[in-house]
Amino acid sequence: MRRLVAVSNRVGPVRGAVSAGGLAVALVDALRHYEGLWFGWSGRVVDGGEPKPKLAEEGGLTLATMDLPRQDYEDYYIGYANRCLWPLFHFRIDLTGYDRRFAEGYRRVNARFAQALSPLLRPDDMVWVHDYHLFELGSELRALGARQRIGFFLHIPFPPREILLTLPNHEQLVRALFDYDLLGFQTEQDLARFCDYVVQTAGGRMNGSCANAFGRRVETGVFPVGIDTAQFRDFAFSPRGEHVFRHMRDALRGRCQIIGVDRLDYSKGLLRRIGAFEALLDTHADTRGHVEYLQIAPISRGELKAYRDFRRDLEGAAARVNGRFGRVDWTPMHYLNRTLPRRTLAGLFRASQIGLVTPMRDGMNLVAKEYIAAQDPADPGVLVLSQFAGAAQQMKAALLVNPYDVTEVAEAMQRARLMPLAERKARYTELMNDLLRYDAAYWSGAFIDALRQAQLRRASGQVYRR
Ligand code: ADP
């Protein structure tokens, strides 16, 4: 069997993949199936020295990890990936900080990764590169002579052309994508925005699913990321999940719980979400004393000012709601900056009548899928989901909302709260059937199949040029 080589910014954990979340599980499963190698940053930052890849065997896989010199960490990771590409690709030009130094650091790290990975590759490997940290890895590998099939999957949204044009080196970034054999996107909309750039800016053309530009061509496809649905459902009914569920329901004493679980990131729409909860309490007096909102938001990227400012604003908003509406026997809003074990999370989802997932923009959003997977089929909760999450393209039976309209989100919460059991069950069944079918294994299998096919096309004519 051919080997699968996955490359992502961060590697692992392998044994703890189940606790790390959907994507790690999906990748580890695929890698195990193909006797895989996983390459990426170790998560360590070092002062001085020329980093070399360290090889380790773990859980049946080979892991190859690189440390990052401090300057590379600052320029590539903090600078270009997190300060520049992340906001820009989530349509936030206002938060985007471009600096030529960042772009140089990004190229330097992509080149260094390619140099370290290249000698580890076998001629018939399939290489699967993940996400916005590594747009240029494929072209760096090609420059070193790699002829393997190399696919790229973008986990975050692809931005509208007019927004991408504000990035000074947009052409370099998109041109690099044409050194891959296959480009995977989360949704049709992301692919359409990529095609728009190809045709309108790069002066290329689409030939079916094949993009032609810069004198080269690349196959494209849509592969929405799934979760390990059956496993997450089992977590909710595991002894730990059951315990958390019972404990939470006892503590709620018949109150309705709304739950939000998101990394503390400005793309997740948390400030407006608190505003929507406040509007719910404001406009529907029957909710006061009867509804609680639990928001779990582990701190993320705390090195960046935009994230620190955002956190401060959020704490202020949560305090405002509790100050305004709270009673001695009822705290409307609970806000925790904590990472929880998966089984605990599943039990909390199960205990919550409403899952509130309202990002302003999200590549997919796995929390929306996890919330549904954890529900009790006999008494399921209702998902209120932003139309701007990639997941909304698949999860049409959720209550889809525009997160910019706090009144609409408040009304959706009220509707969810009062929804009859029959309608809840019908919506849950439709969503859950889809989640069971299009799970994490389906996603990785579909991408790998398409990569294999894309290679056949390349073998029949396409020649790589730099
Ligand atoms: P993103 O990748 O932008 O963070 P997703 O919703 O796609 O957003 O994925 C987030 C993952 O992180 C989910 O698997 C979710 O369960 C997990 N997660 C988020 N917050 C927590 C938390 N507080 N504790 C444990 N896991 C969390």
Side-chain angles (χ1 to χ4, degrees):
M1 185 180 288
R2 286 167 194 272
R3 200 171 60 150
L4 178 65
V5 177
V7 191
S8 58
N9 175 53
R10 287 292 293 272
V11 167
V14 173
R15 289 217 183 79
V18 168
S19 61
L23 190 63
V25 176
L27 262 186
V28 167
D29 278 356
L31 286 166
R32 281 218 177 96
H33 188 71
Y34 287 92
E35 185 212 330
L37 169 73
W38 193 354
F39 181 96
W41 177 32
S42 62
R44 277 187 298 272
V45 179
V46 292
D47 290 304
E50 185 62 21
K52 299 251 177 326
K54 293 189 188 72
L55 291 172
E57 298 292 325
E58 199 183 319
L61 306 183
T62 308
L63 305 184
T65 54
M66 302 266 291
D67 298 342
L68 277 185
R70 186 156 304 280
Q71 196 60 51
D72 287 353
Y73 169 76
E74 296 290 341
D75 296 342
Y76 148 81
Y77 182 68
I78 297 289
Y80 202 65
N82 286 342
R83 277 193 62 196
C84 185
L85 294 183
W86 177 269
L88 193 82
F89 277 61
H90 286 84
F91 303 19
R92 293 294 302 267
I93 308 178
D94 58 320
L95 294 178
T96 303
Y98 176 82
D99 188 314
R100 283 192 180 188
R101 243 179 343 117
F102 298 163
E104 281 156 23
Y106 185 81
R107 177 152 245 200
R108 199 164 62 234
V109 172
N110 274 252
R112 179 172 296 141
F113 273 22
Q115 274 153 14
L117 176 60
S118 181
L120 305 177
L121 293 181
R122 300 175 190 157
D124 62 351
D125 280 347
M126 289 184 291
V127 184
W128 186 1
V129 179
H130 290 264
D131 226 357
Y132 63 102
H133 309 88
L134 298 169
F135 277 106
E136 297 178 7
L137 185 76
S139 57
E140 296 293 348
L141 283 170
R142 298 288 184 219
L144 296 171
R147 289 289 173 269
Q148 289 83 352
R149 282 161 295 173
I150 312 181
F152 176 86
F153 185 79
L154 185 65
H155 290 259
I156 63 174
F158 194 88
R161 191 173 64 89
E162 295 292 351
I163 288 185
L164 187 51
L165 291 182
T166 64
L167 182 71
N169 68 336
H170 59 86
E171 185 184 320
Q172 179 186 328
L173 214 60
V174 179
R175 182 187 281 269
L177 291 177
F178 282 77
D179 274 319
Y180 290 102
D181 295 296
L182 172 66
L183 301 179
F185 298 89
Q186 296 273 28
T187 67
E188 294 288 349
Q189 286 82 348
D190 294 306
L191 174 55
R193 289 190 286 264
F194 170 74
C195 296
D196 185 47
Y197 182 99
V198 167
V199 174
Q200 303 294 337
T201 299
R205 66 191 163 80
M206 294 302 298
N207 189 0
S209 57
C210 189
N212 299 264
F214 309 111
R216 281 172 289 159
R217 66 197 186 104
V218 61
E219 194 57 38
T220 65
V222 172
F223 309 90
V225 169
I227 60 166
D228 189 335
T229 311
Q231 184 187 60
F232 205 81
R233 176 189 57 197
D234 293 347
F235 284 170
F237 294 86
S238 66
R240 178 75 203 156
E242 191 70 39
H243 172 80
V244 170
F245 167 75
R246 293 209 176 281
H247 184 77
M248 195 73 243
R249 280 282 165 103
D250 286 350
L252 284 165
R253 285 179 284 131
R255 287 175 179 143
C256 165
Q257 178 159 272
I258 301 169
I259 192 165
V261 175
D262 311 74
R263 258 186 325 101
L264 217 163
D265 194 291
Y266 47 74
S267 66
K268 303 292 182 184
L270 292 172
L271 262 183
R272 278 201 177 77
R273 199 182 302 175
I274 295 176
F277 179 62
E278 192 171 9
L280 175 75
L281 299 177
D282 241 339
T283 50
H284 295 284
D286 59 324
T287 57
R288 293 180 212 149
H290 298 287
V291 176
E292 294 187 11
Y293 169 25
L294 169 61
Q295 178 63 53
I296 303 173
I299 291 164
S300 129
R301 303 175 191 169
E303 318 83 333
L304 296 177
K305 183 175 180 303
Y307 286 75
R308 289 196 300 273
D309 291 351
F310 172 63
R311 185 179 161 198
R312 192 197 52 224
D313 294 347
L314 215 54
E315 282 162 2
R320 184 186 66 229
V321 171
N322 282 337
R324 223 186 123 196
F325 293 99
R327 299 178 191 157
V328 284
D329 62 344
W330 171 60
T331 306
M333 183 163 178
H334 303 262
Y335 171 63
L336 312 178
N337 297 129
R338 212 165 300 155
T339 300
L340 298 172
R342 313 278 306 148
R343 287 173 180 79
T344 304
L345 211 53
L348 287 175
F349 283 144
R350 187 181 150 198
S352 306
Q353 288 84 348
I354 300 176
L356 193 54
V357 182
T358 55
M360 311 319 279
R361 188 62 58 180
D362 212 330
M364 176 51 56
N365 198 294
L366 298 178
V367 169
K369 298 185 171 186
E370 291 166 355
Y371 174 76
I372 291 297
Q375 295 308 300
D376 180 351
D379 183 23
V382 179
L383 175 65
V384 175
L385 176 62
S386 163
Q387 65 190 86
F388 303 124
Q393 298 308 314
Q394 297 174 291
M395 304 182 82
K396 305 276 191 212
L399 293 184
L400 297 184
V401 292
N402 177 350
Y404 289 89
D405 184 350
V406 291
T407 312
E408 185 186 334
V409 178
E411 290 310 314
M413 284 190 265
Q414 178 71 344
R415 186 173 161 203
R417 190 168 85 86
L418 302 176
M419 190 178 285
L421 179 62
E423 183 180 349
R424 282 190 278 128
K425 278 185 171 173
R427 287 176 182 274
Y428 162 81
T429 306
E430 187 178 333
L431 291 168
M432 189 63 174
N433 286 345
D434 244 37
L435 290 182
L436 285 166
R437 175 150 188 230
Y438 301 109
D439 65 359
Y442 183 95
W443 166 71
S444 58
F447 187 90
I448 291 164
D449 278 355
L451 181 56
R452 205 181 277 124
Q453 311 252 337
Q455 164 69 5
L456 295 178
R457 264 188 287 274
R458 179 162 74 83
S460 64
Q462 187 173 9
V463 178
Y464 281 98
R465 291 198 313 235
R466 284 273 296 174

